[in-house]
Amino acid sequence: MGAMIDRVITSGTFSLDGGSWDVDNNVWLVGDGNEVIVIDAAHDAAPIVKAIGDRRVLAIVLTHGHNDHINAAGALRDATGAPIWLNAADRMLWAAEYPELEPDHDLTDGTTFDVAGTTLRAIHTPGHSPGSTSLYVESLGSVFTGDTLFHGGPGATGRSYSDKPTILESIRARLLTLPGETLVHTGHGENTSIEAERNNLDHQ
């Protein structure tokens, strides 16, 4: 059996700039019955650990440093022993959540992860945050975009460290160049496709 994609939905609070909002987050697992990579670690490690089961976790890869995507990362690392990867440009966001912990590795453009016979490739897509990074899995026809690209358009850019021109450039130059049929697995909400979002971006 080859690599598959599973989704775990966790719920909690997103806090930034003195405000907080209740949110549901998508946590994505890519792997097979033996090994898995976790994309984002949101809110509560327990349901993520349950979904992992007895599989070996090769890496916990964070699409960006906003607290609702990383606030279970420490507990998940403790539970699985897997290293945490985060783009260094988001270290200030990490430090706000984990002042006494560090990620294990810097996630850079072009970083690759091999799991269950398939490869995930990191694509730096700044704008939602300086270090926002998507993960493209060509063999599965999928890209994991965190909060860079949603069903219906780009991620929010009204917060500190966000920039709308930058996120639009990232989407157009780094994501819309992928095949149109590529499934977009988002940080919140439902899947979309590159072709659907190419049409949506025409109105931005």
Side-chain angles (χ1 to χ4, degrees):
M1 182 181 296
M4 301 178 298
I5 298 169
D6 296 308
R7 177 171 70 164
V8 180
I9 300 175
T10 59
S11 301
T13 301
F14 169 48
S15 301
L16 188 68
D17 299 342
S20 62
W21 301 264
D22 292 334
V23 292
D24 295 332
N25 283 61
N26 295 326
V27 177
W28 299 99
L29 310 182
V30 182
D32 60 12
N34 297 312
E35 59 186 22
V36 68
I37 286 174
V38 178
I39 300 173
D40 287 337
H43 304 306
D44 183 0
I48 306 171
V49 170
K50 181 177 180 181
I52 292 166
D54 60 2
R55 293 180 287 180
R56 182 166 64 104
V57 181
L58 304 183
I60 301 163
V61 185
L62 304 176
T63 61
H64 64 291
H66 285 147
N67 79 301
D68 62 317
H69 288 254
I70 70 171
N71 53 10
L76 189 60
R77 179 169 63 181
D78 289 344
T80 65
I84 295 170
W85 293 73
L86 175 70
N87 190 291
D90 276 6
R91 284 293 188 102
M92 71 293 189
L93 294 169
W94 171 274
E97 182 71 21
Y98 295 107
E100 298 181 0
L101 296 178
E102 295 285 344
D104 297 286
H105 302 290
D106 289 336
L107 181 64
T108 62
D109 188 65
T111 298
T112 59
F113 302 90
D114 294 321
V115 61
T118 198
T119 299
L120 291 72
R121 176 171 60 87
I123 304 173
H124 186 211
T125 48
H128 181 70
S129 70
S132 285
T133 301
S134 300
L135 294 157
Y136 179 48
V137 191
E138 183 177 8
S139 64
L140 297 179
S142 296
V143 63
F144 300 86
T145 58
D147 287 0
T148 295
L149 185 62
F150 290 141
H151 185 286
T157 55
R159 299 291 169 187
S160 58
Y161 306 114
S162 298
D163 183 75
K164 187 170 184 178
T166 301
I167 199 173
L168 292 176
E169 176 62 19
S170 289
I171 293 168
R172 290 185 172 118
R174 311 294 326 263
L175 296 179
L176 297 189
T177 56
L178 299 175
E181 66 272 17
T182 303
L183 276 177
V184 177
H185 302 280
T186 63
H188 307 272
E190 296 307 312
N191 295 339
T192 182
S193 71
I194 290 296
E195 187 60 35
E197 299 316 314
R198 182 177 290 118
N199 294 331
N200 286 328
L201 262 290
D202 289 340
H203 303 291
Q204 294 294 322

